[in-house]
Amino acid sequence: MTTTIRPESETDRDAIWHLTKAAFEGKPYAGGDEQDLVNSLRACGALTVSLVATDVDEVVGQITFSPATISSDVGHWFALGPVSVMPARQREGIGAMLIEAGMKVITEQGAWGCILTGNPLYYSRHGFEPAAEHCPDNEPKEYFMLRLVGETKPVGQFAFHEAFYAGS
Ligand SMILES: CC(C)(COP(=O)(O)OP(=O)(O)OC[C@H]1O[C@@H](n2cnc3c(N)ncnc32)[C@H](O)[C@@H]1OP(=O)(O)O)[C@@H](O)C(=O)NCCC(=O)NCCS
């Protein structure tokens, strides 16, 4: 099967919601509201980048990037997440394709780097490094990671967009 990556379109929204729900369903680390987060970010104008992976006309994966802020106010930072691949299509490299395509888009948009809270075993394969010293107070330090785009390192503590905490 041939997987294509492209920006989301309006008609993908329902498919993204169902895909995200299916991908996170039953995961011990899931908050249960990942599918709603994508909609919340979109509603606030903070869904800066949303790419879908499609096969023929079916959405089989999606990745979200939103703006991140830092206490020093220096730099242009993004947050990755959620990223989802349809359970039946996992372990085919679609997640990797979405991450690399998304990093390319945010780099073109002037990103200095990208943060996330996620499994270090997975994201260390994609250039993310532990960044506990820059972790927001309300996130688990051991899962907080950063991938720099250039050489410039961040100064201060990051924050995710407020939409991440809308359901809490
Ligand atoms: C994480 C996810 C997007 C990866 O998509 P994918 O298309 O399966 O990823 P890839 O094919 O590029 O990579 C698969 C590899 O990543 C590993 N992997 C996937 N999720 C992982 C996780 N949470 N922790 C550690 N490793 C993980 C797989 O075991 C596989 O390893 P292998 O190559 O040694 O077999 C997908 O598994 C998914 O949708 N998971 C549920 C939602 C989720 O957890 N999203 C990320 C939140 S941090």
Side-chain angles (χ1 to χ4, degrees):
M1 286 188 260
T2 311
T3 306
T4 306
I5 309 282
R6 60 162 173 78
E8 71 160 35
S9 66
E10 215 174 310
T11 52
D12 296 324
R13 291 180 184 180
D14 275 356
I16 292 171
W17 192 89
H18 287 287
L19 156 73
T20 307
K21 189 168 186 318
F24 279 91
E25 195 109 64
K27 298 284 182 207
Y29 50 83
D33 57 354
E34 287 79 6
Q35 62 279 5
D36 299 322
L37 171 58
V38 184
N39 284 343
S40 303
L41 288 165
R42 195 186 287 112
C44 312
L47 187 60
T48 319
V49 177
S50 170
L51 302 179
V52 291
T54 62
D55 222 319
V56 193
D57 279 340
E58 189 183 19
V59 176
V60 295
Q62 189 269 347
I63 193 165
T64 303
F65 291 85
S66 56
T69 51
I70 192 159
S71 55
S72 62
D73 233 1
V74 177
H76 189 200
W77 307 96
F78 289 81
L80 189 168
V83 52
S84 308
V85 171
M86 192 179 279
R89 297 296 308 275
Q90 290 176 8
R91 305 183 95 148
E92 294 179 24
I94 297 172
M97 282 171 70
L98 284 164
I99 293 170
E100 287 321 312
M103 288 302 301
K104 186 162 181 278
V105 174
I106 65 164
T107 299
E108 286 162 3
Q109 293 186 7
W112 287 26
C114 185
I115 60 167
L116 59 80
T117 299
N119 191 322
L121 289 175
Y122 183 65
Y123 289 104
S124 57
R125 296 178 177 193
H126 297 292
F128 286 84
E129 293 181 357
E133 68 278 27
H134 302 294
C135 181
D137 285 338
N138 51 357
E139 294 289 330
K141 282 188 170 30
E142 64 275 30
Y143 292 110
F144 186 73
M145 305 191 81
L146 165 71
R147 174 166 156 180
L148 287 177
V149 167
E151 300 293 313
T152 315
K153 295 195 168 128
V155 176
Q157 196 175 26
F158 283 106
F160 289 92
H161 190 277
E162 60 191 16
F164 277 78
Y165 309 106
S168 50

